[in-house]
Amino acid sequence: MFERFEAAQLPTREFLDAVATTPLPRDATAVIDEIRALEEIKCAAEARQARLALVLDEQRDSGAHAEIALARRISPHRGRQVLALARVLHELPHTRAAFDTGLISEWRATLIARETACLTLEDRQAIDEQIAADGVALSRRGDREITSFVIREAARRDAASVARRRRRAESGRRVTIRPAPDTMVYLTALLPVAQGVAAFAALRQAAATAIGTGEATNQGQAMADELVRRATGTVTGQPVGLRLTMPAETLLGGSDAPADLGLHGPIPAELARLLVAESLEAGNKVWLKRLFQQPGSGELIAMDSHARLFPRSLAEFLELRDQWCRNAYCGARIKHFDHVEPRANDGPTSDLNGQGLCEDCNQTKESPGWRSVPERAGPGRRHTVTTITPTGHSYRSVSRAGQRL
């Protein structure tokens, strides 16, 4: 089925027909193996499309992106994006190699190119080597892991350029609307990160209050109703805290190591210090809580037992350590704090046996045939959870806070 075709020869109709008509395997392991093989073919095909786009671009003074868009059945806007990626990939040789061999998708190559765009060529290629020299390791990273790593490294290497890019981006803040099925609409706001996270937290806080008092039964609906009330009437919101995590050296100005802002993820040191300063100038309290990292790996291993204004909780520690859904490749917001080894099987309630999961991943984990095994972080290692699927395939995930790839 997966026969090679000669250079400059289109995939034959026989090949396409084979993809559509070859009998499907019935063995679950073979099913998963074929899905992975097809995914690698898709990625390698996207990489070849990028190389072909460059050939066309070299022959055209303008309009190449539109023709590429038509051929790929995408919008002209997307056509510009894929052509821009094709042009820049020659500056990222390791990312390009992983893309060409089907190890990463077009989107993941785009993430690396996009988040390094403000840097010098030397810094871009240094980050490219860090994250993509081992293409197989890169292929095991999810979208959010890749983005967070590149953002951190970009901020560490050239904090001034990242700050300038952030200030330019803030000028593009806007609210848009587009149709949705069943006479609904998508109302979307593009905001500076602090404003966006604060607005979301305020809506969620108001929704929790409405549910607690019996005014609403569904968080999503309650948040949407609260948004409409605040946008169309006069509503005074309660102060909302932002969970901002940063090294002490960053807070005091001795380092440009990036910080983490709640659900958003890493932000430049310059912005983190600005948020703290603005909060103090406004007369707000700034609460501090110490977190301890393991030397070498950066693994979060403990939290100050003397929390300022908040009680210590294991759930809070897990959220700070894992940051988003712990399952490989997911990246959704944490909603459940889960026992890796189930409580029904005498799994302990501890940091080793705990992980943050989204609702969907937690429900999937409880399905027949799924199993997870925790591993304690040692010197130079991070807390690891290995998930074994019903077909016997295994996937490893590591804790994210302070992560170095």
Side-chain angles (χ1 to χ4, degrees), residues 5 12 14 22 46 76 113 148 180-181 207 222 253 281 300 315 340 352 359 377 401 405:
F5 55 92
T12 64
E14 288 77 16
T22 296
E46 287 177 336
S148 294
E281 290 173 2
L300 288 181
V340 182
L352 170 62
E359 183 175 2
L405 296 185

PDB file of all heavy atoms in Angstrom, residues 5 12 14 22 46 76 113 148 180-181 207 222 253 281 300 315 340 352 359 377 401 405:
ATOM      1  N   PHE A   5       6.905   6.607  -4.860  1.00  0.00           N
ATOM      2  CA  PHE A   5       6.745   7.008  -6.247  1.00  0.00           C
ATOM      3  C   PHE A   5       7.960   7.832  -6.653  1.00  0.00           C
ATOM      4  O   PHE A   5       8.623   8.439  -5.827  1.00  0.00           O
ATOM      5  CB  PHE A   5       5.449   7.799  -6.459  1.00  0.00           C
ATOM      6  CG  PHE A   5       5.305   9.004  -5.577  1.00  0.00           C
ATOM      7  CD1 PHE A   5       5.738  10.258  -5.990  1.00  0.00           C
ATOM      8  CD2 PHE A   5       4.719   8.887  -4.314  1.00  0.00           C
ATOM      9  CE1 PHE A   5       5.597  11.369  -5.172  1.00  0.00           C
ATOM     10  CE2 PHE A   5       4.576  10.002  -3.501  1.00  0.00           C
ATOM     11  CZ  PHE A   5       5.006  11.241  -3.917  1.00  0.00           C
ATOM     12  N   THR A  12       0.114   8.053  -7.841  1.00  0.00           N
ATOM     13  CA  THR A  12      -0.761   7.468  -8.845  1.00  0.00           C
ATOM     14  C   THR A  12      -2.157   7.279  -8.304  1.00  0.00           C
ATOM     15  O   THR A  12      -2.389   7.202  -7.093  1.00  0.00           O
ATOM     16  CB  THR A  12      -0.204   6.109  -9.288  1.00  0.00           C
ATOM     17  OG1 THR A  12      -0.226   5.222  -8.158  1.00  0.00           O
ATOM     18  CG2 THR A  12       1.221   6.233  -9.801  1.00  0.00           C
ATOM     19  N   GLU A  14      -3.650   4.623  -8.543  1.00  0.00           N
ATOM     20  CA  GLU A  14      -3.643   3.335  -7.859  1.00  0.00           C
ATOM     21  C   GLU A  14      -3.290   3.490  -6.382  1.00  0.00           C
ATOM     22  O   GLU A  14      -3.862   2.813  -5.522  1.00  0.00           O
ATOM     23  CB  GLU A  14      -2.642   2.389  -8.542  1.00  0.00           C
ATOM     24  CG  GLU A  14      -3.077   1.881  -9.915  1.00  0.00           C
ATOM     25  CD  GLU A  14      -2.902   2.933 -10.999  1.00  0.00           C
ATOM     26  OE1 GLU A  14      -2.179   3.937 -10.763  1.00  0.00           O
ATOM     27  OE2 GLU A  14      -3.479   2.758 -12.093  1.00  0.00           O
ATOM     28  N   THR A  22      -8.127  -0.442   0.306  1.00  0.00           N
ATOM     29  CA  THR A  22      -7.466  -1.570   0.965  1.00  0.00           C
ATOM     30  C   THR A  22      -8.276  -1.993   2.195  1.00  0.00           C
ATOM     31  O   THR A  22      -8.655  -1.135   3.012  1.00  0.00           O
ATOM     32  CB  THR A  22      -6.038  -1.189   1.389  1.00  0.00           C
ATOM     33  OG1 THR A  22      -5.276  -0.909   0.217  1.00  0.00           O
ATOM     34  CG2 THR A  22      -5.377  -2.323   2.160  1.00  0.00           C
ATOM     35  N   GLU A  46       2.895  17.171   3.481  1.00  0.00           N
ATOM     36  CA  GLU A  46       2.838  18.614   3.742  1.00  0.00           C
ATOM     37  C   GLU A  46       4.201  19.255   3.522  1.00  0.00           C
ATOM     38  O   GLU A  46       4.310  20.368   2.989  1.00  0.00           O
ATOM     39  CB  GLU A  46       2.370  18.862   5.179  1.00  0.00           C
ATOM     40  CG  GLU A  46       0.901  18.592   5.426  1.00  0.00           C
ATOM     41  CD  GLU A  46       0.510  18.781   6.878  1.00  0.00           C
ATOM     42  OE1 GLU A  46       1.398  18.679   7.753  1.00  0.00           O
ATOM     43  OE2 GLU A  46      -0.670  19.019   7.148  1.00  0.00           O
ATOM     44  N   PRO A  76      -7.036  31.974   0.930  1.00  0.00           N
ATOM     45  CA  PRO A  76      -5.819  32.724   0.571  1.00  0.00           C
ATOM     46  C   PRO A  76      -4.999  33.128   1.793  1.00  0.00           C
ATOM     47  O   PRO A  76      -3.761  33.150   1.722  1.00  0.00           O
ATOM     48  CB  PRO A  76      -6.370  33.944  -0.176  1.00  0.00           C
ATOM     49  CG  PRO A  76      -7.671  33.475  -0.738  1.00  0.00           C
ATOM     50  CD  PRO A  76      -8.234  32.541   0.286  1.00  0.00           C
ATOM     51  N   ALA A 113       8.587  28.226  13.921  1.00  0.00           N
ATOM     52  CA  ALA A 113       8.923  29.384  13.082  1.00  0.00           C
ATOM     53  C   ALA A 113       8.291  30.656  13.624  1.00  0.00           C
ATOM     54  O   ALA A 113       8.931  31.717  13.676  1.00  0.00           O
ATOM     55  CB  ALA A 113       8.454  29.129  11.649  1.00  0.00           C
ATOM     56  N   SER A 148       5.649  26.465  24.540  1.00  0.00           N
ATOM     57  CA  SER A 148       6.168  26.967  25.811  1.00  0.00           C
ATOM     58  C   SER A 148       7.687  26.969  25.827  1.00  0.00           C
ATOM     59  O   SER A 148       8.319  27.933  26.275  1.00  0.00           O
ATOM     60  CB  SER A 148       5.633  26.130  26.971  1.00  0.00           C
ATOM     61  OG  SER A 148       4.247  26.277  27.113  1.00  0.00           O
ATOM     62  N   ALA A 180     -21.942  30.842  13.680  1.00  0.00           N
ATOM     63  CA  ALA A 180     -21.814  29.491  14.204  1.00  0.00           C
ATOM     64  C   ALA A 180     -23.087  28.730  13.862  1.00  0.00           C
ATOM     65  O   ALA A 180     -24.114  29.349  13.536  1.00  0.00           O
ATOM     66  CB  ALA A 180     -21.584  29.517  15.715  1.00  0.00           C
ATOM     67  N   PRO A 181     -23.065  27.415  13.902  1.00  0.00           N
ATOM     68  CA  PRO A 181     -24.283  26.657  13.571  1.00  0.00           C
ATOM     69  C   PRO A 181     -25.446  26.979  14.496  1.00  0.00           C
ATOM     70  O   PRO A 181     -25.265  27.467  15.615  1.00  0.00           O
ATOM     71  CB  PRO A 181     -23.819  25.190  13.741  1.00  0.00           C
ATOM     72  CG  PRO A 181     -22.339  25.222  13.618  1.00  0.00           C
ATOM     73  CD  PRO A 181     -21.907  26.539  14.166  1.00  0.00           C
ATOM     74  N   ALA A 207     -19.449  32.851  37.428  1.00  0.00           N
ATOM     75  CA  ALA A 207     -20.232  31.660  37.122  1.00  0.00           C
ATOM     76  C   ALA A 207     -20.276  30.716  38.310  1.00  0.00           C
ATOM     77  O   ALA A 207     -21.321  30.121  38.609  1.00  0.00           O
ATOM     78  CB  ALA A 207     -19.643  30.946  35.905  1.00  0.00           C
ATOM     79  N   ALA A 222     -23.320  29.955  32.292  1.00  0.00           N
ATOM     80  CA  ALA A 222     -23.268  31.049  33.269  1.00  0.00           C
ATOM     81  C   ALA A 222     -22.212  32.081  32.893  1.00  0.00           C
ATOM     82  O   ALA A 222     -22.423  33.292  33.037  1.00  0.00           O
ATOM     83  CB  ALA A 222     -22.983  30.478  34.660  1.00  0.00           C
ATOM     84  N   GLY A 253      14.677  41.819  39.087  1.00  0.00           N
ATOM     85  CA  GLY A 253      15.353  42.456  37.962  1.00  0.00           C
ATOM     86  C   GLY A 253      16.749  41.947  37.682  1.00  0.00           C
ATOM     87  O   GLY A 253      17.441  42.499  36.822  1.00  0.00           O
ATOM     88  N   GLU A 281       1.134  49.653  42.466  1.00  0.00           N
ATOM     89  CA  GLU A 281       0.766  51.054  42.290  1.00  0.00           C
ATOM     90  C   GLU A 281      -0.730  51.270  42.453  1.00  0.00           C
ATOM     91  O   GLU A 281      -1.167  52.332  42.896  1.00  0.00           O
ATOM     92  CB  GLU A 281       1.208  51.541  40.910  1.00  0.00           C
ATOM     93  CG  GLU A 281       2.719  51.674  40.765  1.00  0.00           C
ATOM     94  CD  GLU A 281       3.131  51.994  39.347  1.00  0.00           C
ATOM     95  OE1 GLU A 281       2.233  52.148  38.482  1.00  0.00           O
ATOM     96  OE2 GLU A 281       4.343  52.110  39.097  1.00  0.00           O
ATOM     97  N   LEU A 300       9.529  20.829  39.890  1.00  0.00           N
ATOM     98  CA  LEU A 300       8.941  21.325  41.121  1.00  0.00           C
ATOM     99  C   LEU A 300       8.776  20.156  42.082  1.00  0.00           C
ATOM    100  O   LEU A 300       8.132  19.151  41.767  1.00  0.00           O
ATOM    101  CB  LEU A 300       7.573  21.972  40.852  1.00  0.00           C
ATOM    102  CG  LEU A 300       7.586  23.319  40.134  1.00  0.00           C
ATOM    103  CD1 LEU A 300       6.171  23.835  39.967  1.00  0.00           C
ATOM    104  CD2 LEU A 300       8.423  24.332  40.894  1.00  0.00           C
ATOM    105  N   ALA A 315      -3.627  19.799  45.561  1.00  0.00           N
ATOM    106  CA  ALA A 315      -4.165  20.102  44.237  1.00  0.00           C
ATOM    107  C   ALA A 315      -3.479  21.323  43.637  1.00  0.00           C
ATOM    108  O   ALA A 315      -3.164  21.344  42.440  1.00  0.00           O
ATOM    109  CB  ALA A 315      -5.668  20.347  44.332  1.00  0.00           C
ATOM    110  N   VAL A 340      -2.992   8.514  39.630  1.00  0.00           N
ATOM    111  CA  VAL A 340      -2.423   7.752  38.514  1.00  0.00           C
ATOM    112  C   VAL A 340      -2.742   6.273  38.707  1.00  0.00           C
ATOM    113  O   VAL A 340      -3.315   5.615  37.840  1.00  0.00           O
ATOM    114  CB  VAL A 340      -0.903   7.982  38.404  1.00  0.00           C
ATOM    115  CG1 VAL A 340      -0.336   7.217  37.213  1.00  0.00           C
ATOM    116  CG2 VAL A 340      -0.601   9.473  38.257  1.00  0.00           C
ATOM    117  N   LEU A 352       3.525  12.009  43.960  1.00  0.00           N
ATOM    118  CA  LEU A 352       3.993  11.003  43.014  1.00  0.00           C
ATOM    119  C   LEU A 352       2.830  10.373  42.262  1.00  0.00           C
ATOM    120  O   LEU A 352       2.893  10.174  41.048  1.00  0.00           O
ATOM    121  CB  LEU A 352       4.777   9.917  43.748  1.00  0.00           C
ATOM    122  CG  LEU A 352       5.133   8.671  42.919  1.00  0.00           C
ATOM    123  CD1 LEU A 352       6.028   9.042  41.749  1.00  0.00           C
ATOM    124  CD2 LEU A 352       5.798   7.617  43.794  1.00  0.00           C
ATOM    125  N   GLU A 359     -11.121  16.859  31.691  1.00  0.00           N
ATOM    126  CA  GLU A 359     -12.223  15.939  31.938  1.00  0.00           C
ATOM    127  C   GLU A 359     -12.213  14.764  30.959  1.00  0.00           C
ATOM    128  O   GLU A 359     -12.406  13.604  31.341  1.00  0.00           O
ATOM    129  CB  GLU A 359     -13.552  16.693  31.855  1.00  0.00           C
ATOM    130  CG  GLU A 359     -14.766  15.838  32.175  1.00  0.00           C
ATOM    131  CD  GLU A 359     -16.048  16.646  32.204  1.00  0.00           C
ATOM    132  OE1 GLU A 359     -15.978  17.864  31.937  1.00  0.00           O
ATOM    133  OE2 GLU A 359     -17.105  16.073  32.503  1.00  0.00           O
ATOM    134  N   ALA A 377      10.669  11.334  40.069  1.00  0.00           N
ATOM    135  CA  ALA A 377      11.781  12.075  39.480  1.00  0.00           C
ATOM    136  C   ALA A 377      13.038  11.862  40.316  1.00  0.00           C
ATOM    137  O   ALA A 377      13.008  11.948  41.535  1.00  0.00           O
ATOM    138  CB  ALA A 377      11.443  13.551  39.406  1.00  0.00           C
ATOM    139  N   ALA A 401       6.505  22.301  34.587  1.00  0.00           N
ATOM    140  CA  ALA A 401       7.011  23.539  35.194  1.00  0.00           C
ATOM    141  C   ALA A 401       8.526  23.557  35.175  1.00  0.00           C
ATOM    142  O   ALA A 401       9.192  22.635  35.622  1.00  0.00           O
ATOM    143  CB  ALA A 401       6.501  23.657  36.626  1.00  0.00           C
ATOM    144  N   LEU A 405      13.851  20.934  27.481  1.00  0.00           N
ATOM    145  CA  LEU A 405      13.784  19.803  26.535  1.00  0.00           C
ATOM    146  C   LEU A 405      15.170  19.253  26.261  1.00  0.00           C
ATOM    147  O   LEU A 405      16.130  20.000  26.250  1.00  0.00           O
ATOM    148  CB  LEU A 405      13.148  20.269  25.224  1.00  0.00           C
ATOM    149  CG  LEU A 405      11.693  20.719  25.334  1.00  0.00           C
ATOM    150  CD1 LEU A 405      11.173  21.026  23.950  1.00  0.00           C
ATOM    151  CD2 LEU A 405      10.817  19.686  25.996  1.00  0.00           C
TER     152      LEU A 405
END
